[in-house]
Amino acid sequence: MSVTPVVSEVDSPNQKITIPPLLGASVTELTAWVQQQGQPGYRGKQLHDWIYNKGVRSLADISVFPKQWRAEVAEIPIGRSTIHYRSVAPDGTVKYLLKLSDGFIIETVGIPTEKRLTVCISTQVGCPMACDFCATGKGGYKRNLAHHEIIDQVLTVQEDFQQRVSHIVFMGMGEPLLNTDNVLAAIKSLNQDVGIGQRNMTVSTVGIRDRIRQFAQNKLQVTLAVSLHASNQTLREKLIPSAHPYKIEDLLTECREYVEITGRRVSFEYILLAGVNNLPEHASELAKRLRGFQSHVNLIPYNPISEVDYKRPNRDQIQAFVKVLKQHHIAVSVRYSRGLEADAACGQLRADKQ
Ligand code: SAH
């Protein structure tokens, strides 16, 4: 980003100045900004450290800055959200509802495991894709998140856990590839300013025509996860109405291009809905479709949401599906959602608590 976009205005003693939320700016950009404010350049590095490492929420709290200047810039937004609601599941997963500066609420999840702290982040307020099994989709779409609102989620979890975030999954509310520019800016800053490796980031998309191909041109090292969820077009359209004009073959062609362009494999997410898409014939159809593809299938047993009455398959049914894929030499794993005890499926928390 540049340091000069007009995002909001504050009154300074002398004149009206235009200012950005500072979160998302690089050390170079912050240095230019402090100089523009009449401060020595080294304060840019200090500001960078306070924003990204110390997680400061107000410029007034940066104790290494001169008192008078702190007072002058106290109202300039850094771009942090506030925690509106927080719930901890017995397995240690923490779900947050974060309040944005305009009052909208988004969901973020912190998922601790022995060696990792993963954050599941949102990219939009709501989602326009309206997938039939998804609580977020049922709530409609409000707006894209700005890049600082994406980065903020990671800093919030880091601060709350008092632990460095190691992994990021773009699997919260929203469709990342409908907000590509801000997602790209956030990835860049999370990588360079927050210090998280691109290989530890996964961007999940339901697939929007041409967007995977465009995304690939950035040659990032992030993992692309594609929400396939069905082994054929008819079934996919039933679950994902937005898939209607975008045939599964075209989606897979773009995924193959992604592998060619980036050299990274794609992972396919496949929600398991009992009696709908989890039968052995679906597994073999899926396997045939993915034959020879450098990919990995992530099976996600359905997390019940209140608006629809799909059922999660039992363990035997899940294992039967896994077995067929393995027989066809497809790399597969089952992803059981964490933190279900506290607040049901993703997206459900916001619906319940807002
Ligand atoms: N829009 C993006 C990212 C957000 S959803 C996408 O579609 O990939 C992240 C993942 O959670 C997707 O694979 C989505 O299909 C899945 N998901 C949504 N609702 C779910 C539910 N009730 N149970 C299990 N997985 C769900």
Side-chain angles (χ1 to χ4, degrees), residues 127 129 131 133-135 170-176 204-206 225-227 229 269 271 300-305 335 337 345-346:
C127 184
M129 304 313 289
C131 300
F133 46 80
C134 175
F170 289 73
M171 293 184 184
M173 300 168 76
E175 169 45 51
S204 176
T205 179
V206 72
V226 175
S227 293
H229 299 329
E269 292 158 288
I271 193 169
I300 320 172
Y302 168 64
N303 296 321
I305 66 169
R335 189 172 77 210
S337 288
C346 22

Side-chain angles (χ1 to χ4, degrees), residues 213 216-219 256-264:
R213 186 176 291 125
Q217 299 305 330
N218 296 285
K219 299 210 169 78
R256 285 195 177 85
E257 286 179 34
Y258 185 89
V259 175
E260 270 168 34
I261 295 169
T262 64
R264 305 276 295 159

Side-chain angles (χ1 to χ4, degrees), residues 1 3 19-26 29-30 33 47 51-52 59 62 73 76-79 147-148:
M1 67 165 263
V3 286
I19 46 94
L22 298 172
L23 186 57
S26 67
E29 290 165 335
L30 290 173
W33 184 76
L47 182 54
I51 290 176
Y52 295 103
L59 293 184
I62 304 184
V73 293
I76 289 178
I78 288 177
H147 70 308
H148 71 270

Side-chain angles (χ1 to χ4, degrees), residues 1-17:
M1 67 165 263
S2 114
V3 286
T4 44
V6 181
V7 180
S8 57
E9 291 188 332
V10 291
D11 286 318
S12 85
N14 309 319
Q15 64 185 121
K16 255 193 172 321
I17 54 167

Side-chain angles (χ1 to χ4, degrees), residues 33-48:
W33 184 76
V34 297
Q35 285 171 332
Q36 192 186 312
Q37 304 291 313
Q39 293 294 316
Y42 68 86
R43 297 226 180 274
K45 202 159 182 294
Q46 290 178 324
L47 182 54
H48 189 269

Side-chain angles (χ1 to χ4, degrees), residues 225-247:
V226 175
S227 293
L228 200 59
H229 299 329
S231 52
N232 62 61
Q233 177 66 16
T234 313
L235 187 50
R236 193 163 193 267
E237 279 179 24
K238 275 193 197 137
L239 303 175
I240 307 171
S242 66
H244 177 65
Y246 187 31
K247 302 291 171 255

